[in-house]
Amino acid sequence: MANTMGRSFLQAAATSEEVAPPLRVVQIEGLAVLKIIKHCNEFLPSLVTGQLLGLDVGSVLEVTNCFPFPIREEDEEIEADGANYQLEMMRCLREVNVDNNTVGWYQSTLMGSFQTVELIETFMNYQENIRRCVCIVYDPSRSAQGVLALKALKLTDSFMDLYRNNNFTGEKLREKNLSWVDIFEEIPIKVSNSALASAFMTELEPELPVKQCDYDRLKLSTAPYMERNLEFLIDCMEDLSAEQNKFQYYYRNLSRQQAQQQTWLQKRRVENMARKAAGEEPLPEEDPANPIFKPILEPSRVDSYLITNQISNYCNQINGVATQSFNRLYLMKALHED
Amino acid sequence: MSTQSSKVGSVGENSIGCSGSGESKGKGTLPGFVSSEPRQTTLNSTYKKDLQVDVKRRVGHFIYSAALPFNVMNDPYWLPMAWAWASAEQSVKSHAVPSMIRDRLGHTVRNGPTGFGSYLVRSTHRSSCVSALLLQEKLTLAEVCAAAVPLSLSALRSHLMAVLQFFPPSSPVVSAKLHAVVLFNICDCYVRRPDQADRVIGTLLGSVSDGVIEIKNSYAVPHNESADQVALDVDYHRNMYLSHLKVNPKEVLVGWFSTGFGVSGGSALIHEFYVKELKEAQSSIPPIHLTVDTGFKNGEASIKGYVSSNLSLGDRPLAAQFQEIPLDLRMIEAERVGCTNLDLSSLNILHLFFSNAISTVLEHGTMRIDFEAADSCPLYVDILKTTVVDKLPNDLEGMEASMERLHSLLDEIYKYVGDVVEGRVAPDNDIGRFLADTLASVPRMSPAAFDKVFNDKIQDNLALVYLSSLVKTQLGIAEKLNTAAQIL
């Protein structure tokens, strides 16, 4: 496997196992940011994805370029096309000296509702081939509020191990002390630009007293955004309560089954006593053929974790927007007092 | 005077600058303007042939019937008249010289400077006549050169260069808009270019509407450039184009870019290639050529867009002329940029702010200040300007920054108004009107009504914050309960 950490060959050969330094920062180039924004905005309201290219250097993951994926239709033959497209793009970009290294993918999201099982699946897929990959999520609706809503996500290692073994029982989770916050890890993003690009930008765009983002931030009507956020939140709550119900059902079944087992065991014991008194062989205390001994599967907690994540995301967003509104309203009040 | 309508084509066999000599085409003293691609039809010949023929015929009739001598063009007032004509009607040139004269010229060129040709030759010592001829007849370089043999070619060329600039654009393209992504991409490609390459060349993608080309995307194409030839990797270009089309079928080929200052001979060749590509795609727009000066010549960043029109002699093209078109650097909505000027932007923001809000009492009376019109401003420019941004600003920090800016704007305006009132600064009517409008756009509400609205909103927001905190607490509890539950 390629050693991307820049140590000397001797060192690399000496160490039998490399311990990668934890990923601390994702450094994106302005070019990649602009491309992501452009692609996501063009295809609103449908959600789009694309591939990230860059370099993995120590504790920094550099994203230097990206290219979008075409919108995939639900057709079988398009699958091969998709792979071809990817190969073609990588090859072409290689020819113009763009870093040919996949470091992850980006996707657009609607109101921050990106925590789905598909995301985890994609992560697992990528993780098999690439040692370190990251997913960048861009939220166009939130960016309309005046904030650059770009997030870099990564699955935590502990979660990945659990998921791989499909071992999602309460026991295991308690063992690892894994709660729903530990599924995704958000990594801070740094934006970097080449000197040439920044020279151009400073030259062409004079320092302005006011920017469009200010317009957005000072807009007083946030109602539509909040409304949608709340709608999504309510939906999620319903989902969460459905999950809770599932768990309750499972527990009820489990306890019922245990009660049944107990009664059966009691009966057996009594029978055995009777037999002993009668001088016969005692029957075994267990009977695997009996249906009441069939173990009931515990439902996976992944879904509920994801939903919880989503809910907390919405709550955070609502909080953020509400605080902004407070600021604005007090500003208005001050204005009025003149 | 015989009409030799069919002989025009034969002029092309002769070289530029000399009549009757057998030099091959393409060599001469005007290498920078010559393209070596043969036989392209000019835009004018394709679209306005009928118009032109008609005009020529009528003007010719007039001159013949009025028995005007052909050297009427030497008249000092001819040129101003021609100018006025040309600028009044840009699509149809004022063809004062009938086609018959051009044929005559052709005849002259072949047979030596006699007859009319000699007229022209002797009388074109004054460059004004050359320009008049060009302006009126749109004769090509070659014809004029052929006819003006005794004139020193360098003088002619310098003059012609000056003249050529004045051709109004004959293509339907009026201007172009450039998205910032493209600029960044070009910079990135330039930084990553292979060592032996001097400049980077690539394709531009975008869309056209109403004569405005919007350049939305780009990709670099590997190429080889040497002293006398340019090779472009066509397969690569086609492959990338197809790939890009898969993602966004609306972004079509609109032209090409190159880094470096100015337009060179090789560029003309590459431009021909793109013209052909566009023709294959049956697009009616001419390709646009973008130059991005990464070397910062003249100490400034210059990004220029060109559209080429071909100058041809009869059927044979001789030069490709690149005309600059106005270029507007703008960013898409998410980035929200425009070219902004001064402080109307600040007034706009106040306008927006006030119009949503409450009334205010103006004590200053009408002010007379003048600001300029502004468009929307960049959202992320500050992120994109510096080389490294350590942290993307989140909600509160952004809010804080915005408010600080608003505050400073208000200070500035206040200061300005104070200056005007005290007479320190000359008042400007437009600004004053705009300020008055802005302040008047604040809706008037009684204090009681405003208080009610304000309190309602505050309460709504508080309720929302309360709800979201409640939900989060609930989640925490549920989590604990779920995992802490022990099965016996």
Side-chain angles (χ1 to χ4, degrees):
Chain A
M1 191 142 162
N3 181 2
T4 51
M5 299 217 294
R7 291 187 285 180
S8 77
F9 182 72
L10 196 59
Q11 274 181 305
T15 55
S16 52
E17 190 192 300
E18 0 179 287
V19 177
L23 182 60
R24 276 191 225 295
V25 150
V26 172
Q27 190 170 301
I28 309 189
E29 288 228 347
L31 171 67
V33 172
L34 281 178
K35 274 186 160 180
I36 293 175
I37 294 176
K38 170 177 173 290
H39 183 223
C40 294
N41 275 328
E42 261 175 14
F43 286 94
L44 273 182
S46 58
L47 307 176
V48 291
T49 58
Q51 184 95 299
L52 295 172
L53 306 166
L55 291 169
D56 182 8
V57 184
S59 69
V60 176
L61 186 69
E62 289 186 27
V63 177
T64 50
N65 213 331
C66 64
F67 62 84
F69 285 146
I71 300 204
R72 201 97 69 85
E73 269 121 76
E74 297 300 324
D75 213 348
E76 282 310 315
E77 45 193 59
I78 312 281
E79 295 284 335
D81 275 352
N84 275 344
Y85 168 82
Q86 216 170 328
L87 287 170
E88 190 64 38
M89 280 302 265
M90 302 277 271
R91 193 178 59 82
C92 288
L93 287 174
R94 180 75 200 92
E95 282 188 39
V96 279
N97 291 337
V98 175
D99 298 325
N100 205 9
N101 195 19
T102 308
V103 292
W105 81 102
Y106 69 85
Q107 62 182 60
S108 68
T109 172
L110 198 56
M111 307 295 283
S113 63
F114 51 85
Q115 289 99 340
T116 57
V117 188
E118 285 95 24
L119 187 67
I120 300 187
E121 295 283 330
T122 327
F123 250 119
M124 304 305 289
N125 279 338
Y126 269 87
Q127 203 69 20
E128 281 165 31
N129 301 328
I130 311 164
R131 203 179 45 177
R132 208 187 262 176
C133 69
V134 79
C135 170
I136 294 201
V137 176
Y138 173 70
D139 191 352
S141 44
R142 187 135 173 270
S143 301
Q145 298 288 318
V147 173
L148 177 52
L150 212 60
K151 260 202 262 228
L153 292 175
K154 193 172 99 71
L155 281 186
T156 50
D157 295 327
S158 39
F159 179 79
M160 272 197 297
D161 292 330
L162 270 187
Y163 193 77
R164 223 176 263 144
N165 304 332
N166 233 346
N167 231 336
F168 244 61
T169 59
E171 306 267 334
K172 282 276 187 288
L173 290 169
R174 229 171 309 130
E175 260 174 53
K176 301 253 183 171
N177 213 7
L178 194 74
S179 82
W180 53 267
V181 283
D182 294 329
I183 298 187
F184 295 109
E185 195 187 319
E186 188 176 331
I187 306 172
I189 295 184
K190 216 159 68 145
V191 176
S192 78
N193 280 317
S194 67
L196 185 62
S198 49
F200 262 106
M201 287 312 290
T202 6
E203 184 75 32
L204 294 167
E205 294 294 332
E207 188 63 46
L208 300 156
V210 127
K211 314 212 167 137
Q212 179 68 32
C213 52
D214 296 330
Y215 285 155
D216 295 329
R217 285 184 196 135
L218 290 174
K219 242 190 327 206
L220 279 180
S221 89
T222 52
Y225 181 73
M226 291 282 252
E227 275 169 34
R228 282 178 82 199
N229 236 331
L230 278 176
E231 264 178 45
F232 280 43
L233 185 64
I234 293 175
D235 284 338
C236 263
M237 294 295 273
E238 285 175 6
D239 287 340
L240 187 65
S241 68
E243 290 283 322
Q244 301 264 13
N245 279 340
K246 256 201 284 182
F247 271 111
Q248 285 191 349
Y249 186 66
Y250 164 74
Y251 282 134
R252 232 179 304 141
N253 279 347
L254 198 62
S255 54
R256 198 163 38 129
Q257 191 193 45
Q258 290 206 328
Q260 280 177 335
Q261 285 174 1
Q262 288 294 338
T263 44
W264 186 89
L265 205 58
Q266 293 284 5
K267 263 199 300 188
R268 260 298 157 85
R269 289 218 180 103
V270 164
E271 248 182 76
N272 277 342
M273 302 266 278
R275 279 190 171 210
K276 228 195 278 185
E280 290 172 3
E281 289 282 322
L283 293 169
E285 295 212 334
E286 283 187 11
D287 188 2
N290 204 325
I292 57 175
F293 279 106
K294 200 159 51 170
I296 310 180
L297 280 173
E298 186 175 339
S300 160
R301 294 181 184 273
V302 180
D303 286 332
S304 65
Y305 274 15
L306 286 174
I307 296 177
T308 324
N309 248 327
Q310 221 147 287
I311 293 183
S312 90
N313 213 7
Y314 292 142
C315 288
N316 284 337
Q317 275 171 244
I318 292 181
N319 270 343
V321 178
T323 10
Q324 279 190 332
S325 317
F326 277 133
N327 288 338
R328 286 191 281 257
L329 285 171
Y330 276 106
L331 203 61
M332 291 324 309
K333 182 159 186 178
L335 202 61
H336 180 68
E337 271 158 24
D338 276 338
Chain B
M1 289 196 272
S2 58
T3 325
Q4 295 172 338
S5 52
S6 61
K7 292 294 192 286
V8 178
S10 62
V11 175
E13 286 160 30
N14 296 324
S15 75
I16 321 159
C18 249
S19 61
S21 69
E23 282 180 37
S24 58
K25 66 183 179 196
K27 297 224 174 82
T29 52
L30 302 168
F33 295 91
V34 172
S35 123
S36 59
E37 285 285 342
R39 291 191 190 271
Q40 277 203 338
T41 52
T42 67
L43 283 166
N44 261 353
S45 67
T46 330
Y47 296 115
K48 297 167 189 145
K49 198 183 278 191
D50 298 340
L51 268 176
Q52 286 184 351
V53 163
D54 190 46
V55 168
K56 283 183 205 173
R57 205 184 324 121
R58 288 175 196 274
V59 173
H61 272 152
F62 163 72
I63 292 190
Y64 281 135
S65 69
L68 297 177
F70 289 120
N71 60 353
V72 70
M73 289 183 285
N74 277 346
D75 193 285
Y77 295 105
W78 183 266
L79 182 58
M81 177 183 77
W83 271 110
W85 250 338
S87 55
E89 276 183 307
Q90 286 189 0
S91 56
V92 177
K93 299 279 188 293
S94 45
H95 293 275
V97 181
S99 50
M100 178 259 172
I101 297 183
R102 185 165 68 170
D103 306 340
R104 189 89 174 118
L105 255 191
H107 171 76
T108 308
V109 163
R110 270 185 312 117
N111 302 334
T114 59
F116 176 64
S118 61
Y119 259 124
L120 219 48
V121 163
R122 284 195 290 270
S123 60
T124 50
H125 291 298
R126 274 179 294 147
S127 52
S128 56
C129 297
V130 176
S131 55
L133 197 59
L134 274 180
L135 212 52
Q136 295 149 24
E137 167 58 71
K138 261 197 78 153
L139 290 178
T140 66
L141 240 58
E143 291 174 301
V144 175
C145 293
V149 162
L151 271 187
S152 74
L153 283 168
S154 56
L156 184 62
R157 188 209 318 199
S158 59
H159 174 74
L160 283 174
M161 277 169 63
V163 168
L164 283 173
Q165 307 288 347
F166 291 113
F167 276 128
S170 53
S171 58
V173 170
V174 172
S175 69
K177 282 200 176 118
L178 181 67
H179 285 213
V181 196
V182 177
L183 180 61
F184 268 74
N185 201 6
I186 296 179
C187 289
D188 187 61
C189 295
Y190 182 73
V191 169
R192 289 174 189 276
R193 69 188 189 286
D195 288 330
Q196 70 274 19
D198 217 5
R199 60 178 186 163
V200 182
I201 290 184
T203 314
L204 293 172
L205 305 173
S207 63
V208 187
S209 62
D210 291 339
V212 175
I213 297 186
E214 223 175 302
I215 307 176
K216 294 189 192 151
N217 208 346
S218 65
Y219 57 84
V221 178
H223 74 108
N224 270 322
E225 213 170 336
S226 55
D228 51 353
Q229 63 169 343
V230 178
L232 200 64
D233 193 344
V234 180
D235 283 333
Y236 181 93
H237 157 73
R238 297 236 167 91
N239 281 336
M240 281 290 259
Y241 188 42
L242 287 173
S243 298
H244 278 260
L245 276 180
K246 271 195 215 154
V247 177
N248 199 345
K250 292 208 198 102
E251 276 181 10
V252 291
L253 186 65
V254 293
W256 65 289
F257 70 84
S258 82
T259 59
F261 193 68
V263 179
S264 71
S267 306
L269 296 172
I270 303 179
H271 199 86
E272 295 305 324
F273 164 72
Y274 277 98
V275 169
K276 262 192 285 193
E277 285 279 307
L278 270 183
K279 273 227 188 91
E280 264 176 41
Q282 276 151 3
S283 152
S284 62
I285 41 149
I288 175 174
H289 171 44
L290 191 73
T291 56
V292 174
D293 183 16
T294 48
F296 281 86
K297 221 175 194 166
N298 307 335
E300 61 164 25
S302 62
I303 303 181
K304 294 201 168 56
Y306 297 95
V307 169
S308 101
S309 58
N310 285 304
L311 306 173
S312 66
L313 170 63
D315 282 335
R316 205 187 94 206
L318 273 154
Q321 176 208 352
F322 283 88
Q323 295 150 358
E324 192 174 335
I325 58 175
L327 199 62
D328 180 20
L329 177 70
R330 68 175 273 268
M331 299 195 189
I332 53 178
E333 292 315 312
E335 301 139 326
R336 296 198 198 145
V337 166
C339 316
T340 72
N341 254 331
L342 233 236
D343 295 338
L344 194 63
S345 49
S346 68
L347 284 184
N348 261 337
I349 200 178
L350 280 179
H351 202 112
L352 256 165
F353 198 54
F354 289 1
S355 55
N356 275 344
I358 38 182
S359 70
T360 182
V361 178
L362 237 190
E363 278 159 29
H364 303 289
T366 54
M367 295 163 283
R368 307 190 155 269
I369 328 172
D370 200 16
F371 276 40
E372 293 162 29
D375 312 317
S376 50
C377 329
L379 173 59
Y380 305 129
V381 164
D382 44 355
I383 294 184
L384 298 170
K385 262 196 217 178
T386 57
T387 6
V388 170
V389 171
D390 278 331
K391 195 162 103 71
L392 293 177
N394 70 6
D395 290 348
L396 280 181
E397 288 165 10
M399 195 71 196
E400 192 185 330
S402 297
M403 301 232 266
E404 272 178 27
R405 271 195 281 261
L406 188 62
H407 187 74
S408 64
L409 281 178
L410 285 172
D411 276 344
E412 220 176 291
I413 293 181
Y414 197 73
K415 203 164 53 116
Y416 185 94
V417 168
D419 283 345
V420 167
V421 164
E422 302 201 6
R424 279 195 291 261
V425 172
D428 204 338
N429 292 345
D430 290 338
I431 295 186
R433 269 181 234 124
F434 197 87
L435 263 184
D437 279 341
T438 309
L439 291 166
S441 70
V442 171
R444 292 192 149 273
M445 266 207 280
S446 70
F450 168 72
D451 274 341
K452 184 166 175 319
V453 166
F454 177 73
N455 286 331
D456 282 345
K457 279 225 119 176
I458 294 266
Q459 277 175 358
D460 286 342
N461 273 319
L462 279 171
L464 283 174
V465 174
Y466 175 72
L467 270 176
S468 66
S469 335
L470 191 65
V471 168
K472 283 182 96 164
T473 332
Q474 166 65 31
L475 286 179
I477 295 178
E479 173 63 29
K480 284 277 174 289
L481 284 177
N482 270 338
T483 47
Q486 294 275 359
I487 312 296
L488 297 155

